[in-house]
Amino acid sequence: MSSASDIVGAISRLIQALDELFQTQTVEALVDLVRQLGIGGPVRTGLQALGTVLGQLVEWIAKLEKVAAIPKLLESLDPTLEQVQGLAATSEDDLRQAGLDSLAPLTKAARSMLEVMNKVRKGAEAILKGLLPQEALAGLRQSVVNFAATLKSYEQRLVAPGASKPALAGATS
């Protein structure tokens, strides 16, 4: 069974292969032919539509990357949670004896907060680490960005100045 990372990696390689295909001399020659035939407008419109779809895909992947970063964010809270752990370990009686009566209720709140945070962290790690591979998502996003750039370059070439229609055989000027 393939992991999420394997699947995202395979999709990324597919998009990279499409990008490489579109960068071949054959496709470049087709773009030049389309421009010379004067039908670049409709083809350009199609490329723009595909570019819009790819742009939306990049936005979605970026959002997934943010969600995939949640476990690392929760890990960064460890030092703070260790300090809260110290407060939670202190008994209410110890605080009262130290003359800190007003802080006594905080120990109970600190224990509750730690319990909730540990559950959230464990749940997020269990779900997100396996389902949303952060590095693979970054590679996929870059593949889509590269492919969109290739299509954009062809879109611009289709309406480049100096493009001329081929002369018809037997036509006189």
Side-chain angles (χ1 to χ4, degrees):
M1 177 178 241
S2 296
S3 70
S5 185
D6 294 338
I7 294 168
V8 172
I11 294 169
S12 181
R13 287 188 301 279
L14 172 64
I15 292 172
Q16 287 171 351
L18 285 171
D19 189 30
E20 290 171 9
L21 173 67
F22 271 72
Q23 292 180 33
T24 62
Q25 290 178 349
T26 303
V27 174
E28 288 186 17
L30 283 173
V31 169
D32 289 339
L33 179 62
V34 165
R35 187 181 69 207
Q36 290 170 359
L37 292 173
I39 57 172
V43 174
R44 182 175 185 232
T45 301
L47 289 175
Q48 286 172 333
L50 186 54
T52 300
V53 169
L54 293 175
Q56 186 67 47
L57 183 58
V58 168
E59 289 178 23
W60 291 342
I61 295 168
K63 289 176 184 176
L64 286 175
E65 286 179 290
K66 288 178 183 177
V67 172
I70 290 173
K72 286 186 181 179
L73 169 74
L74 293 173
E75 285 176 18
S76 71
L77 295 175
D78 279 349
T80 303
L81 292 176
E82 286 175 15
Q83 290 177 349
V84 172
Q85 179 67 37
L87 178 60
T90 305
S91 74
E92 292 177 32
D93 288 336
D94 289 343
L95 289 173
R96 285 190 185 100
Q97 289 175 1
L100 302 171
D101 292 354
S102 61
L103 296 179
L106 287 179
T107 61
K108 191 178 225 179
R111 282 191 286 274
S112 296
M113 184 188 92
L114 279 173
E115 186 178 319
V116 169
M117 287 302 295
N118 284 330
K119 287 180 181 179
V120 167
R121 183 175 173 189
K122 286 177 184 175
E125 286 176 353
I127 293 170
L128 299 176
K129 278 193 176 179
L131 291 179
L132 296 174
Q134 197 170 12
E135 296 80 17
L137 287 171
L140 176 59
R141 181 178 38 80
Q142 190 58 53
S143 296
V144 174
V145 166
N146 293 345
F147 186 43
T150 298
L151 295 178
K152 184 71 172 174
S153 71
Y154 287 138
E155 178 188 321
Q156 292 168 348
R157 279 180 56 187
L158 285 171
V159 292
S164 60
K165 294 183 181 177
L168 297 174
T172 58
S173 311

PDB file of all heavy atoms in Angstrom, residues 76-109:
ATOM      1  N   SER A  76       6.896  23.197  18.775  1.00  0.00           N
ATOM      2  CA  SER A  76       7.567  24.423  19.211  1.00  0.00           C
ATOM      3  C   SER A  76       7.015  24.932  20.545  1.00  0.00           C
ATOM      4  O   SER A  76       7.645  25.761  21.204  1.00  0.00           O
ATOM      5  CB  SER A  76       7.451  25.513  18.139  1.00  0.00           C
ATOM      6  OG  SER A  76       6.132  26.000  18.065  1.00  0.00           O
ATOM      7  N   LEU A  77       5.868  24.437  20.948  1.00  0.00           N
ATOM      8  CA  LEU A  77       5.284  24.832  22.232  1.00  0.00           C
ATOM      9  C   LEU A  77       5.866  24.038  23.407  1.00  0.00           C
ATOM     10  O   LEU A  77       5.566  24.341  24.568  1.00  0.00           O
ATOM     11  CB  LEU A  77       3.758  24.656  22.201  1.00  0.00           C
ATOM     12  CG  LEU A  77       2.991  25.536  21.227  1.00  0.00           C
ATOM     13  CD1 LEU A  77       1.516  25.153  21.226  1.00  0.00           C
ATOM     14  CD2 LEU A  77       3.165  26.995  21.573  1.00  0.00           C
ATOM     15  N   ASP A  78       6.683  23.034  23.124  1.00  0.00           N
ATOM     16  CA  ASP A  78       7.225  22.180  24.185  1.00  0.00           C
ATOM     17  C   ASP A  78       7.882  22.947  25.332  1.00  0.00           C
ATOM     18  O   ASP A  78       7.585  22.661  26.502  1.00  0.00           O
ATOM     19  CB  ASP A  78       8.206  21.155  23.613  1.00  0.00           C
ATOM     20  CG  ASP A  78       7.495  19.962  23.005  1.00  0.00           C
ATOM     21  OD1 ASP A  78       6.280  19.818  23.209  1.00  0.00           O
ATOM     22  OD2 ASP A  78       8.182  19.166  22.325  1.00  0.00           O
ATOM     23  N   PRO A  79       8.772  23.915  25.062  1.00  0.00           N
ATOM     24  CA  PRO A  79       9.385  24.627  26.190  1.00  0.00           C
ATOM     25  C   PRO A  79       8.352  25.328  27.090  1.00  0.00           C
ATOM     26  O   PRO A  79       8.464  25.287  28.318  1.00  0.00           O
ATOM     27  CB  PRO A  79      10.303  25.657  25.522  1.00  0.00           C
ATOM     28  CG  PRO A  79      10.592  25.086  24.169  1.00  0.00           C
ATOM     29  CD  PRO A  79       9.349  24.335  23.783  1.00  0.00           C
ATOM     30  N   THR A  80       7.352  25.915  26.478  1.00  0.00           N
ATOM     31  CA  THR A  80       6.315  26.592  27.258  1.00  0.00           C
ATOM     32  C   THR A  80       5.509  25.576  28.058  1.00  0.00           C
ATOM     33  O   THR A  80       5.208  25.798  29.244  1.00  0.00           O
ATOM     34  CB  THR A  80       5.380  27.380  26.323  1.00  0.00           C
ATOM     35  OG1 THR A  80       6.164  28.301  25.572  1.00  0.00           O
ATOM     36  CG2 THR A  80       4.310  28.122  27.093  1.00  0.00           C
ATOM     37  N   LEU A  81       5.199  24.454  27.435  1.00  0.00           N
ATOM     38  CA  LEU A  81       4.419  23.432  28.140  1.00  0.00           C
ATOM     39  C   LEU A  81       5.214  22.825  29.286  1.00  0.00           C
ATOM     40  O   LEU A  81       4.637  22.439  30.310  1.00  0.00           O
ATOM     41  CB  LEU A  81       3.958  22.355  27.161  1.00  0.00           C
ATOM     42  CG  LEU A  81       2.920  22.813  26.132  1.00  0.00           C
ATOM     43  CD1 LEU A  81       2.594  21.693  25.156  1.00  0.00           C
ATOM     44  CD2 LEU A  81       1.667  23.319  26.812  1.00  0.00           C
ATOM     45  N   GLU A  82       6.532  22.758  29.144  1.00  0.00           N
ATOM     46  CA  GLU A  82       7.362  22.258  30.249  1.00  0.00           C
ATOM     47  C   GLU A  82       7.287  23.210  31.442  1.00  0.00           C
ATOM     48  O   GLU A  82       7.251  22.768  32.596  1.00  0.00           O
ATOM     49  CB  GLU A  82       8.807  22.083  29.786  1.00  0.00           C
ATOM     50  CG  GLU A  82       9.007  20.877  28.887  1.00  0.00           C
ATOM     51  CD  GLU A  82      10.415  20.773  28.332  1.00  0.00           C
ATOM     52  OE1 GLU A  82      11.330  21.451  28.839  1.00  0.00           O
ATOM     53  OE2 GLU A  82      10.597  19.997  27.367  1.00  0.00           O
ATOM     54  N   GLN A  83       7.236  24.502  31.170  1.00  0.00           N
ATOM     55  CA  GLN A  83       7.105  25.478  32.258  1.00  0.00           C
ATOM     56  C   GLN A  83       5.733  25.356  32.920  1.00  0.00           C
ATOM     57  O   GLN A  83       5.610  25.436  34.145  1.00  0.00           O
ATOM     58  CB  GLN A  83       7.333  26.894  31.743  1.00  0.00           C
ATOM     59  CG  GLN A  83       8.772  27.150  31.352  1.00  0.00           C
ATOM     60  CD  GLN A  83       8.976  28.541  30.765  1.00  0.00           C
ATOM     61  OE1 GLN A  83       8.026  29.246  30.458  1.00  0.00           O
ATOM     62  NE2 GLN A  83      10.236  28.920  30.617  1.00  0.00           N
ATOM     63  N   VAL A  84       4.718  25.156  32.100  1.00  0.00           N
ATOM     64  CA  VAL A  84       3.371  24.967  32.651  1.00  0.00           C
ATOM     65  C   VAL A  84       3.336  23.679  33.464  1.00  0.00           C
ATOM     66  O   VAL A  84       2.668  23.611  34.509  1.00  0.00           O
ATOM     67  CB  VAL A  84       2.313  24.960  31.517  1.00  0.00           C
ATOM     68  CG1 VAL A  84       0.941  24.581  32.049  1.00  0.00           C
ATOM     69  CG2 VAL A  84       2.270  26.310  30.827  1.00  0.00           C
ATOM     70  N   GLN A  85       4.080  22.672  33.026  1.00  0.00           N
ATOM     71  CA  GLN A  85       4.149  21.406  33.756  1.00  0.00           C
ATOM     72  C   GLN A  85       4.683  21.638  35.172  1.00  0.00           C
ATOM     73  O   GLN A  85       4.197  21.047  36.137  1.00  0.00           O
ATOM     74  CB  GLN A  85       5.050  20.414  33.016  1.00  0.00           C
ATOM     75  CG  GLN A  85       5.221  19.072  33.707  1.00  0.00           C
ATOM     76  CD  GLN A  85       3.947  18.264  33.737  1.00  0.00           C
ATOM     77  OE1 GLN A  85       3.171  18.275  32.785  1.00  0.00           O
ATOM     78  NE2 GLN A  85       3.725  17.555  34.822  1.00  0.00           N
ATOM     79  N   GLY A  86       5.663  22.533  35.273  1.00  0.00           N
ATOM     80  CA  GLY A  86       6.196  22.857  36.597  1.00  0.00           C
ATOM     81  C   GLY A  86       5.135  23.458  37.506  1.00  0.00           C
ATOM     82  O   GLY A  86       5.040  23.112  38.685  1.00  0.00           O
ATOM     83  N   LEU A  87       4.332  24.373  36.960  1.00  0.00           N
ATOM     84  CA  LEU A  87       3.252  24.974  37.738  1.00  0.00           C
ATOM     85  C   LEU A  87       2.196  23.921  38.076  1.00  0.00           C
ATOM     86  O   LEU A  87       1.686  23.872  39.202  1.00  0.00           O
ATOM     87  CB  LEU A  87       2.611  26.136  36.966  1.00  0.00           C
ATOM     88  CG  LEU A  87       1.427  26.831  37.632  1.00  0.00           C
ATOM     89  CD1 LEU A  87       1.833  27.436  38.975  1.00  0.00           C
ATOM     90  CD2 LEU A  87       0.859  27.903  36.724  1.00  0.00           C
ATOM     91  N   ALA A  88       1.889  23.053  37.126  1.00  0.00           N
ATOM     92  CA  ALA A  88       0.871  22.031  37.345  1.00  0.00           C
ATOM     93  C   ALA A  88       1.308  21.030  38.409  1.00  0.00           C
ATOM     94  O   ALA A  88       0.478  20.468  39.131  1.00  0.00           O
ATOM     95  CB  ALA A  88       0.563  21.309  36.040  1.00  0.00           C
ATOM     96  N   ALA A  89       2.616  20.827  38.531  1.00  0.00           N
ATOM     97  CA  ALA A  89       3.130  19.863  39.515  1.00  0.00           C
ATOM     98  C   ALA A  89       3.107  20.435  40.931  1.00  0.00           C
ATOM     99  O   ALA A  89       3.191  19.687  41.910  1.00  0.00           O
ATOM    100  CB  ALA A  89       4.545  19.454  39.143  1.00  0.00           C
ATOM    101  N   THR A  90       3.008  21.742  41.029  1.00  0.00           N
ATOM    102  CA  THR A  90       2.977  22.387  42.342  1.00  0.00           C
ATOM    103  C   THR A  90       1.580  22.221  42.942  1.00  0.00           C
ATOM    104  O   THR A  90       0.581  22.446  42.271  1.00  0.00           O
ATOM    105  CB  THR A  90       3.296  23.894  42.203  1.00  0.00           C
ATOM    106  OG1 THR A  90       4.533  24.040  41.523  1.00  0.00           O
ATOM    107  CG2 THR A  90       3.378  24.555  43.555  1.00  0.00           C
ATOM    108  N   SER A  91       1.536  21.839  44.187  1.00  0.00           N
ATOM    109  CA  SER A  91       0.220  21.657  44.812  1.00  0.00           C
ATOM    110  C   SER A  91      -0.331  23.003  45.265  1.00  0.00           C
ATOM    111  O   SER A  91       0.410  23.955  45.520  1.00  0.00           O
ATOM    112  CB  SER A  91       0.325  20.696  46.002  1.00  0.00           C
ATOM    113  OG  SER A  91       0.942  21.348  47.096  1.00  0.00           O
ATOM    114  N   GLU A  92      -1.632  23.053  45.371  1.00  0.00           N
ATOM    115  CA  GLU A  92      -2.289  24.275  45.825  1.00  0.00           C
ATOM    116  C   GLU A  92      -1.852  24.622  47.246  1.00  0.00           C
ATOM    117  O   GLU A  92      -1.661  25.796  47.581  1.00  0.00           O
ATOM    118  CB  GLU A  92      -3.807  24.111  45.742  1.00  0.00           C
ATOM    119  CG  GLU A  92      -4.320  24.012  44.313  1.00  0.00           C
ATOM    120  CD  GLU A  92      -5.826  23.782  44.220  1.00  0.00           C
ATOM    121  OE1 GLU A  92      -6.574  24.270  45.099  1.00  0.00           O
ATOM    122  OE2 GLU A  92      -6.244  23.114  43.273  1.00  0.00           O
ATOM    123  N   ASP A  93      -1.660  23.604  48.077  1.00  0.00           N
ATOM    124  CA  ASP A  93      -1.233  23.839  49.453  1.00  0.00           C
ATOM    125  C   ASP A  93       0.163  24.466  49.499  1.00  0.00           C
ATOM    126  O   ASP A  93       0.416  25.354  50.317  1.00  0.00           O
ATOM    127  CB  ASP A  93      -1.236  22.529  50.258  1.00  0.00           C
ATOM    128  CG  ASP A  93      -2.655  22.051  50.556  1.00  0.00           C
ATOM    129  OD1 ASP A  93      -3.577  22.897  50.567  1.00  0.00           O
ATOM    130  OD2 ASP A  93      -2.824  20.833  50.774  1.00  0.00           O
ATOM    131  N   ASP A  94       1.060  24.007  48.600  1.00  0.00           N
ATOM    132  CA  ASP A  94       2.412  24.583  48.570  1.00  0.00           C
ATOM    133  C   ASP A  94       2.354  26.068  48.238  1.00  0.00           C
ATOM    134  O   ASP A  94       3.096  26.871  48.819  1.00  0.00           O
ATOM    135  CB  ASP A  94       3.294  23.869  47.538  1.00  0.00           C
ATOM    136  CG  ASP A  94       3.668  22.457  47.956  1.00  0.00           C
ATOM    137  OD1 ASP A  94       3.537  22.138  49.155  1.00  0.00           O
ATOM    138  OD2 ASP A  94       4.079  21.673  47.069  1.00  0.00           O
ATOM    139  N   LEU A  95       1.493  26.458  47.305  1.00  0.00           N
ATOM    140  CA  LEU A  95       1.366  27.869  46.942  1.00  0.00           C
ATOM    141  C   LEU A  95       0.785  28.687  48.099  1.00  0.00           C
ATOM    142  O   LEU A  95       1.222  29.811  48.359  1.00  0.00           O
ATOM    143  CB  LEU A  95       0.515  28.029  45.678  1.00  0.00           C
ATOM    144  CG  LEU A  95       1.167  27.572  44.373  1.00  0.00           C
ATOM    145  CD1 LEU A  95       0.158  27.632  43.233  1.00  0.00           C
ATOM    146  CD2 LEU A  95       2.381  28.424  44.050  1.00  0.00           C
ATOM    147  N   ARG A  96      -0.195  28.115  48.785  1.00  0.00           N
ATOM    148  CA  ARG A  96      -0.806  28.822  49.922  1.00  0.00           C
ATOM    149  C   ARG A  96       0.219  29.019  51.035  1.00  0.00           C
ATOM    150  O   ARG A  96       0.303  30.078  51.639  1.00  0.00           O
ATOM    151  CB  ARG A  96      -2.024  28.049  50.428  1.00  0.00           C
ATOM    152  CG  ARG A  96      -3.224  28.198  49.521  1.00  0.00           C
ATOM    153  CD  ARG A  96      -4.498  27.633  50.162  1.00  0.00           C
ATOM    154  NE  ARG A  96      -5.581  27.694  49.198  1.00  0.00           N
ATOM    155  CZ  ARG A  96      -6.008  26.673  48.478  1.00  0.00           C
ATOM    156  NH1 ARG A  96      -5.488  25.483  48.624  1.00  0.00           N
ATOM    157  NH2 ARG A  96      -6.988  26.828  47.611  1.00  0.00           N
ATOM    158  N   GLN A  97       1.010  27.967  51.283  1.00  0.00           N
ATOM    159  CA  GLN A  97       2.030  28.065  52.329  1.00  0.00           C
ATOM    160  C   GLN A  97       3.102  29.091  51.973  1.00  0.00           C
ATOM    161  O   GLN A  97       3.709  29.691  52.845  1.00  0.00           O
ATOM    162  CB  GLN A  97       2.679  26.697  52.578  1.00  0.00           C
ATOM    163  CG  GLN A  97       1.761  25.726  53.276  1.00  0.00           C
ATOM    164  CD  GLN A  97       2.383  24.336  53.397  1.00  0.00           C
ATOM    165  OE1 GLN A  97       3.499  24.100  52.979  1.00  0.00           O
ATOM    166  NE2 GLN A  97       1.619  23.414  53.987  1.00  0.00           N
ATOM    167  N   ALA A  98       3.321  29.296  50.667  1.00  0.00           N
ATOM    168  CA  ALA A  98       4.309  30.277  50.223  1.00  0.00           C
ATOM    169  C   ALA A  98       3.707  31.679  50.178  1.00  0.00           C
ATOM    170  O   ALA A  98       4.377  32.626  49.777  1.00  0.00           O
ATOM    171  CB  ALA A  98       4.854  29.888  48.850  1.00  0.00           C
ATOM    172  N   GLY A  99       2.457  31.812  50.563  1.00  0.00           N
ATOM    173  CA  GLY A  99       1.821  33.118  50.568  1.00  0.00           C
ATOM    174  C   GLY A  99       1.283  33.532  49.212  1.00  0.00           C
ATOM    175  O   GLY A  99       1.018  34.705  48.967  1.00  0.00           O
ATOM    176  N   LEU A 100       1.117  32.590  48.335  1.00  0.00           N
ATOM    177  CA  LEU A 100       0.623  32.886  46.979  1.00  0.00           C
ATOM    178  C   LEU A 100      -0.780  32.311  46.790  1.00  0.00           C
ATOM    179  O   LEU A 100      -1.063  31.607  45.823  1.00  0.00           O
ATOM    180  CB  LEU A 100       1.592  32.304  45.934  1.00  0.00           C
ATOM    181  CG  LEU A 100       3.040  32.794  46.016  1.00  0.00           C
ATOM    182  CD1 LEU A 100       3.929  31.981  45.085  1.00  0.00           C
ATOM    183  CD2 LEU A 100       3.114  34.273  45.667  1.00  0.00           C
ATOM    184  N   ASP A 101      -1.643  32.633  47.714  1.00  0.00           N
ATOM    185  CA  ASP A 101      -3.017  32.102  47.688  1.00  0.00           C
ATOM    186  C   ASP A 101      -3.733  32.366  46.365  1.00  0.00           C
ATOM    187  O   ASP A 101      -4.465  31.520  45.869  1.00  0.00           O
ATOM    188  CB  ASP A 101      -3.857  32.710  48.824  1.00  0.00           C
ATOM    189  CG  ASP A 101      -3.404  32.258  50.202  1.00  0.00           C
ATOM    190  OD1 ASP A 101      -2.516  31.385  50.265  1.00  0.00           O
ATOM    191  OD2 ASP A 101      -3.934  32.788  51.193  1.00  0.00           O
ATOM    192  N   SER A 102      -3.510  33.542  45.793  1.00  0.00           N
ATOM    193  CA  SER A 102      -4.234  33.902  44.565  1.00  0.00           C
ATOM    194  C   SER A 102      -3.800  33.038  43.377  1.00  0.00           C
ATOM    195  O   SER A 102      -4.531  32.923  42.400  1.00  0.00           O
ATOM    196  CB  SER A 102      -4.026  35.379  44.243  1.00  0.00           C
ATOM    197  OG  SER A 102      -2.653  35.651  44.042  1.00  0.00           O
ATOM    198  N   LEU A 103      -2.624  32.415  43.456  1.00  0.00           N
ATOM    199  CA  LEU A 103      -2.155  31.560  42.355  1.00  0.00           C
ATOM    200  C   LEU A 103      -2.578  30.096  42.512  1.00  0.00           C
ATOM    201  O   LEU A 103      -2.427  29.316  41.580  1.00  0.00           O
ATOM    202  CB  LEU A 103      -0.626  31.632  42.251  1.00  0.00           C
ATOM    203  CG  LEU A 103      -0.028  32.985  41.882  1.00  0.00           C
ATOM    204  CD1 LEU A 103       1.486  32.896  41.846  1.00  0.00           C
ATOM    205  CD2 LEU A 103      -0.570  33.464  40.545  1.00  0.00           C
ATOM    206  N   ALA A 104      -3.116  29.744  43.652  1.00  0.00           N
ATOM    207  CA  ALA A 104      -3.480  28.352  43.916  1.00  0.00           C
ATOM    208  C   ALA A 104      -4.421  27.761  42.856  1.00  0.00           C
ATOM    209  O   ALA A 104      -4.203  26.631  42.404  1.00  0.00           O
ATOM    210  CB  ALA A 104      -4.068  28.217  45.313  1.00  0.00           C
ATOM    211  N   PRO A 105      -5.449  28.486  42.415  1.00  0.00           N
ATOM    212  CA  PRO A 105      -6.341  27.904  41.394  1.00  0.00           C
ATOM    213  C   PRO A 105      -5.637  27.650  40.047  1.00  0.00           C
ATOM    214  O   PRO A 105      -6.109  26.849  39.241  1.00  0.00           O
ATOM    215  CB  PRO A 105      -7.442  28.944  41.232  1.00  0.00           C
ATOM    216  CG  PRO A 105      -7.400  29.766  42.468  1.00  0.00           C
ATOM    217  CD  PRO A 105      -5.977  29.749  42.931  1.00  0.00           C
ATOM    218  N   LEU A 106      -4.512  28.321  39.820  1.00  0.00           N
ATOM    219  CA  LEU A 106      -3.809  28.136  38.543  1.00  0.00           C
ATOM    220  C   LEU A 106      -3.247  26.732  38.365  1.00  0.00           C
ATOM    221  O   LEU A 106      -3.104  26.268  37.248  1.00  0.00           O
ATOM    222  CB  LEU A 106      -2.672  29.156  38.406  1.00  0.00           C
ATOM    223  CG  LEU A 106      -3.093  30.585  38.131  1.00  0.00           C
ATOM    224  CD1 LEU A 106      -1.876  31.490  38.053  1.00  0.00           C
ATOM    225  CD2 LEU A 106      -3.893  30.668  36.843  1.00  0.00           C
ATOM    226  N   THR A 107      -2.924  26.069  39.460  1.00  0.00           N
ATOM    227  CA  THR A 107      -2.362  24.721  39.318  1.00  0.00           C
ATOM    228  C   THR A 107      -3.370  23.774  38.690  1.00  0.00           C
ATOM    229  O   THR A 107      -3.027  22.976  37.823  1.00  0.00           O
ATOM    230  CB  THR A 107      -1.885  24.172  40.674  1.00  0.00           C
ATOM    231  OG1 THR A 107      -2.978  24.093  41.570  1.00  0.00           O
ATOM    232  CG2 THR A 107      -0.781  25.033  41.262  1.00  0.00           C
ATOM    233  N   LYS A 108      -4.617  23.886  39.121  1.00  0.00           N
ATOM    234  CA  LYS A 108      -5.666  23.038  38.544  1.00  0.00           C
ATOM    235  C   LYS A 108      -5.884  23.390  37.067  1.00  0.00           C
ATOM    236  O   LYS A 108      -6.004  22.516  36.212  1.00  0.00           O
ATOM    237  CB  LYS A 108      -6.958  23.217  39.335  1.00  0.00           C
ATOM    238  CG  LYS A 108      -8.027  22.221  39.004  1.00  0.00           C
ATOM    239  CD  LYS A 108      -9.249  22.451  39.871  1.00  0.00           C
ATOM    240  CE  LYS A 108      -9.740  21.136  40.393  1.00  0.00           C
ATOM    241  NZ  LYS A 108     -10.901  21.278  41.256  1.00  0.00           N
ATOM    242  N   ALA A 109      -5.906  24.684  36.763  1.00  0.00           N
ATOM    243  CA  ALA A 109      -6.078  25.131  35.375  1.00  0.00           C
ATOM    244  C   ALA A 109      -4.890  24.679  34.513  1.00  0.00           C
ATOM    245  O   ALA A 109      -5.073  24.272  33.366  1.00  0.00           O
ATOM    246  CB  ALA A 109      -6.222  26.647  35.323  1.00  0.00           C
TER     247      ALA A 109
END
